[in-house]
Amino acid sequence: MNLKNIVIEDSQFDTKKALTIVDADGIQLKNVRLTYSGGTGAIIYNSKNVNLSTVKFESANKPYVKVLGNKTTAVLLPKEVIADKSSFSIGTDVAKNTVK
């Protein structure tokens, strides 16, 4: 069963690896800070209606987000990530205009 309609607000997480969202629908992180020591900032795979627009990624490494999977749709990323084209990648199988 897939994760569905999860909202996390006003939280801080200190982790080794940041965030992975797989086969989910309706994931919202509002005013969340992710402090991590390794890996990418987030990996989103075959998920839809994912809102990370107010997430703050904090790491010694440059935050990086990967969006993958042909079922992925409607992903909102933080403006800072979108503004820097080297901060994210979109898989070739992801539909155009999926990430904003």
Side-chain angles (χ1 to χ4, degrees):
M1 190 161 149
N2 298 341
L3 284 178
K4 195 168 187 175
N5 300 323
I6 304 294
V7 178
I8 299 173
E9 294 185 70
D10 303 322
S11 301
Q12 179 173 332
F13 298 95
D14 296 317
T15 65
K16 185 173 183 177
K17 295 183 179 181
L19 178 67
T20 302
I21 300 171
V22 178
D23 295 324
D25 181 6
I27 306 300
Q28 294 184 37
L29 277 62
K30 299 178 181 180
N31 193 28
V32 170
R33 179 180 299 161
L34 292 172
T35 304
Y36 59 99
S37 57
T40 59
I43 297 172
I44 301 165
Y45 181 78
N46 281 342
S47 296
K48 57 186 176 180
N49 304 311
V50 175
N51 185 343
L52 305 180
S53 63
T54 60
V55 171
K56 300 290 183 200
F57 294 102
E58 296 180 357
S59 175
N61 301 323
K62 182 178 182 178
Y64 192 79
V65 177
K66 292 181 182 180
V67 180
L68 307 166
N70 63 350
K71 295 178 184 176
T72 300
T73 59
V75 175
L76 296 175
L77 298 178
K79 290 178 185 176
E80 305 84 42
V81 172
I82 294 294
D84 182 357
K85 300 287 185 197
S86 67
S87 291
F88 68 97
S89 66
I90 301 173
T92 56
D93 55 346
V94 176
K96 190 175 183 177
N97 298 321
T98 291
V99 178
K100 296 182 182 192

